[in-house]
Amino acid sequence: SVEHSGPVLYMDYHLETDGGATVVRFVHSGFGPEDRWDDYLDALDAGWSYFFRNLKVYLEHHAGTPRTMLHDRPATRGSRGEIFTTLLEAVGLEGGDLDGAAVGDSVALTLAGEPADGVLEARAPNRTMGFRLPGLEQSLLFLEIESAGDTGKVGVWLSTYGASPSTRDRLERSRDAVSAAVGAR
């Protein structure tokens, strides 16, 4: 369970088999009906949706390989829309190029000043975006906005799986560039 402003929240994981496949059923409960939960529920929905996409990519491309997490959570200011636009620009998507993109679509990114092919793995407008990076050893990039009004944090999460030193270096520079772009301004 996780404490959040009083009530106890529960996360239950159920593993089942179905026709020879493993099925994960996840239940997150303990929320109240009050409006104060709306933003929190939206954030959890976006975050867990990406986590399960991340798990799928891991199983398809990296099973058995240890993960290295490169992350930062810089403080930021501005509306969620302004911050999201800044995040798009920080990864080379000038002018909101995600407008017509759907999960599974290829997207041309720029990371640390260099072109990078991406596959959109998750998208929640003005909240999160996640990409698989085929040319960077199938690494994963997840960007999320955790805001409360005009202040908050941005999560910059890069997952690598046995990445070469040159890929890891480039991803670290990418993380730092995105963090600098959105950091409290």
Side-chain angles (χ1 to χ4, degrees):
S1 66
V2 176
E3 292 286 334
H4 178 74
S5 301
V8 175
L9 301 178
Y10 296 92
M11 291 171 270
D12 298 307
Y13 303 85
H14 303 272
L15 299 174
E16 304 164 352
T17 58
D18 183 8
T22 301
V23 177
V24 178
R25 187 168 53 95
F26 175 73
V27 179
H28 198 150
S29 58
F31 306 101
E34 302 88 17
D35 289 345
R36 69 184 178 97
W37 288 101
D38 291 351
D39 194 49
Y40 189 68
L41 286 169
D42 288 344
L44 284 174
D45 180 49
W48 282 116
S49 293
Y50 179 72
F51 173 79
F52 287 114
R53 291 284 301 179
N54 189 324
L55 179 59
K56 182 179 185 298
V57 169
Y58 169 76
L59 292 171
E60 289 174 349
H61 298 282
H62 307 291
T65 305
R67 176 175 106 169
T68 300
M69 174 69 75
L70 307 170
H71 69 281
D72 195 12
R73 292 184 62 232
T76 192
R77 298 177 95 45
S79 72
R80 194 174 262 139
E82 292 168 336
I83 297 166
F84 199 75
T85 297
T86 301
L87 280 172
L88 289 169
E89 292 171 353
V91 296
L93 296 169
E94 302 293 329
D97 282 349
L98 273 182
D99 288 339
V103 170
D105 286 353
S106 294
V107 181
L109 303 172
T110 302
L111 300 175
E114 298 176 46
D117 293 330
V119 175
L120 187 61
E121 292 289 344
R123 177 179 181 202
N126 290 335
R127 182 172 297 281
T128 64
M129 63 185 118
F131 305 94
R132 181 169 43 87
L133 307 170
L136 292 169
E137 301 177 48
Q138 302 290 347
S139 296
L140 298 168
L141 168 63
F142 181 62
L143 303 167
E144 67 178 333
I145 301 171
E146 306 166 2
S147 69
D150 282 346
T151 62
K153 292 186 183 256
V154 170
V156 181
W157 309 92
L158 283 150
S159 297
T160 67
Y161 303 87
S164 66
S166 63
T167 294
R168 186 182 163 115
D169 179 61
R170 181 166 175 202
L171 293 172
E172 286 176 346
R173 287 184 286 118
S174 299
R175 176 205 55 206
D176 295 345
V178 171
S179 294
V182 297
R185 30 192 218 309

